[in-house]
Amino acid sequence: MGDSLFEGLPPPSHQQQNQEAEANDTSKTTKREPSTVPAPPKPALKSALKRPKPVEAKPDPEDGAAEKTTASGKRLRFKTTTDASETQVIEAMKKIASHIKTPTKFSKASKLAIQLIQAGSVKPGTSDHFFAILEAAMSSTTSCTDPSVRADYHALFSAAQDAAECLNKKQKNQLATWTVRAVLANDFFTDDSFLFSKTAGQVKDAIADLPVATKDDDLEEAASLTDKAATTDEYSKREDTCSGAEAEENKDMSDPFGLDALIPSTVKKDDKVKGKKDMPVKVREEEEEESKRFLKYQREALITCLEIAARRYKIPWCQTVIDILVKHAFDNVARFTSCQRDAIQKLWASIREQQTRRKQGKSVNGKLDVNGFEWLQQKYAGEKISIRHSVGGSGDRRASQWLG
């Protein structure tokens, strides 16, 4: 069994070997014909069926534009802001200043001015025109505390604080005075007790910041300033005309041929030096006049706030705050002028009279007009409190409810 199976057989002939080799070659060379039946399509994925999400617009801070990519891959570029030139802003401010004086157009004009502030259009180049808007608003025939325009004044001058950096010192002082009239005075008309108390605290701080009034402040500053300005202008004009006439006569007599203009003169240099020395004195005088004018307007605005607050004394929750505010003004009455001191003294006397009538139960409507604080003050004024818990000084338990 271990021998070969083909042992004893004759070897194959050469013909059989050639036929087997040809058969192998034909099988290798024959190609398989492609099938005419189409292959089934591959199933599509769900993710491929979804539409691509468009890219959200991203604003460009440099040019105020944004790009948006659509589903087709196209980019749409659009402008989100309108860049107005300085001349256009100035023209808009002039139109607003001309319309804001009219009470019926004040609401719309003030909103347009607020939009200019929020857009950052108030710059050092346009600050004078913006200040003209505020000046025109305060020069309107309607008061800033009128119920029809009260909210618009409050919104305008509250927003104007963001543009105060672009104003000069004189304009800032004027804006501070207008803010007291248009914002703080209108806050006293609120129905919010917290805002009322906060406004009273701001007025108290403003009164405490005032300097003590002098004898010069007791005089009518407006009349004195106008008279002084008129006399100084007339005196300066007379000096200019006289000096000009004398200079022409001297020039004709001393230099008939006009040769002195070719020679350097030291007199002109001396005049320039004197002019430079006089400049600080003039600037100092202007600053003093501006500070006096600012204090005058500031005192008048604070008096207006006190008068508006005193009108709301009939409301019970306002009475304690008004008592403290008017008492503070009375304690600092030396910081006001003579006429204003008389007004504060009369106001404090009226407040004291109403306090006495409330404590006695006498009021206009015939009811007991005493607030909660005064009622508790009267109740526990005669109580004797001991160091022992819940026990009165006489041994009874009269103060147990108050002490808890």
Side-chain angles (χ1 to χ4, degrees):
M1 295 297 294
D3 298 335
S4 177
L5 295 175
F6 302 100
E7 187 178 357
L9 295 175
S13 61
H14 294 285
Q15 295 178 355
Q16 292 179 352
Q17 292 179 358
N18 295 331
Q19 290 177 357
E20 291 178 357
E22 291 175 359
N24 292 332
D25 294 337
T26 55
S27 62
K28 291 180 179 179
T29 55
T30 55
K31 296 182 179 179
R32 187 175 180 179
E33 294 180 358
S35 176
T36 57
V37 180
K42 294 181 180 180
L45 298 177
K46 292 183 179 180
S47 61
L49 297 176
K50 294 182 179 179
R51 294 181 179 179
K53 294 182 179 180
V55 180
E56 295 180 356
K58 296 181 180 180
D60 190 0
E62 294 181 358
D63 55 356
E67 290 184 356
K68 184 177 181 180
T69 304
T70 59
S72 60
K74 296 181 180 180
R75 290 185 177 181
L76 301 177
R77 190 174 180 85
F78 56 92
K79 208 168 186 181
T80 57
T81 58
T82 56
D83 298 332
S85 62
E86 186 173 347
T87 55
Q88 293 176 345
V89 173
I90 292 174
E91 291 178 359
M93 289 182 176
K94 289 181 179 178
K95 290 182 180 179
I96 293 172
S98 62
H99 292 295
I100 205 169
K101 298 178 181 180
T102 308
T104 56
K105 299 179 181 180
F106 182 85
S107 179
K108 185 177 180 180
S110 63
K111 291 177 182 177
L112 293 175
I114 293 173
Q115 290 179 2
L116 290 176
I117 298 171
Q118 294 175 349
S121 301
V122 182
K123 300 177 181 179
T126 59
S127 61
D128 293 337
H129 299 278
F130 173 72
F131 184 78
I133 295 175
L134 302 179
E135 190 175 7
M138 294 303 294
S139 63
S140 176
T141 56
T142 306
S143 175
C144 60
T145 57
D146 189 83
S148 60
V149 294
R150 186 187 302 163
D152 296 325
Y153 269 100
H154 191 284
L156 175 60
F157 283 90
S158 297
Q161 304 303 316
D162 299 334
E165 298 178 355
C166 302
L167 304 177
N168 56 33
K169 185 178 179 180
K170 182 179 179 180
Q171 294 172 347
K172 287 180 180 178
N173 293 338
Q174 189 65 53
L175 178 61
T177 304
W178 289 340
T179 303
V180 174
R181 291 179 176 271
V183 179
L184 293 183
N186 285 326
D187 282 339
F188 278 118
F189 292 100
T190 183
D191 294 332
D192 188 358
S193 60
F194 295 100
L195 180 59
F196 192 88
S197 301
K198 179 182 177 182
T199 306
Q202 293 176 351
V203 174
K204 287 169 59 180
D205 295 339
I207 292 174
D209 292 339
L210 291 175
V212 178
T214 60
K215 294 181 179 180
D216 296 334
D217 295 332
D218 294 339
L219 302 175
E220 295 181 358
E221 298 178 1
S224 64
L225 289 174
T226 52
D227 294 339
K228 184 178 180 180
T231 53
T232 52
D233 291 339
E234 291 177 0
Y235 183 75
S236 61
K237 288 179 181 179
R238 290 175 182 176
E239 284 186 346
D240 293 337
T241 54
C242 293
S243 61
E246 291 177 359
E248 290 178 358
E249 291 177 0
N250 294 331
K251 182 178 179 181
D252 294 337
M253 295 295 294
S254 61
D255 188 18
F257 300 103
L259 298 177
D260 290 342
L262 303 176
I263 303 173
S265 177
T266 59
V267 178
K268 295 182 179 180
K269 293 182 180 180
D270 295 338
D271 293 339
K272 291 181 180 179
V273 173
K274 289 181 181 179
K276 290 181 180 180
K277 289 181 180 180
D278 294 339
M279 286 298 293
V281 178
K282 294 181 180 179
V283 171
R284 195 180 302 111
E285 290 178 356
E286 291 178 357
E287 290 180 354
E288 290 178 357
E289 291 179 359
E290 175 60 28
S291 62
K292 290 180 180 179
R293 189 182 299 109
F294 169 68
L295 290 175
K296 175 181 177 295
Y297 293 150
Q298 189 78 355
R299 291 185 177 114
E300 291 177 355
L302 293 174
I303 291 295
T304 304
C305 291
L306 293 174
E307 292 175 351
I308 294 174
R311 295 173 194 168
R312 307 203 66 194
Y313 199 79
K314 296 180 180 179
I315 302 175
W317 57 266
C318 295
Q319 293 171 357
T320 304
V321 179
I322 296 172
D323 292 342
I324 298 172
L325 176 60
V326 178
K327 180 65 166 59
H328 178 78
F330 180 75
D331 294 338
N332 294 272
V333 73
R335 302 179 186 274
F336 294 89
T337 57
S338 58
C339 298
Q340 295 168 353
R341 286 196 294 267
D342 296 338
I344 292 174
Q345 290 173 359
K346 291 179 181 178
L347 184 61
W348 175 239
S350 175
I351 295 296
R352 292 287 296 174
E353 182 181 356
Q354 295 185 38
Q355 284 180 351
T356 306
R357 296 183 63 177
R358 286 205 324 271
K359 291 178 180 180
Q360 294 177 356
K362 299 177 181 179
S363 61
V364 178
N365 53 11
K367 297 180 181 179
L368 184 62
D369 190 8
V370 180
N371 56 24
F373 175 77
E374 293 174 348
W375 182 78
L376 292 173
Q377 188 180 20
Q378 293 177 2
K379 181 179 179 181
Y380 297 108
E383 295 291 341
K384 295 181 180 180
I385 309 301
S386 116
I387 61 174
R388 296 188 297 275
H389 180 66
S390 301
V391 179
S394 58
D396 55 3
R397 299 178 63 84
R398 293 173 59 188
S400 61
Q401 185 178 2
W402 179 59
L403 292 174

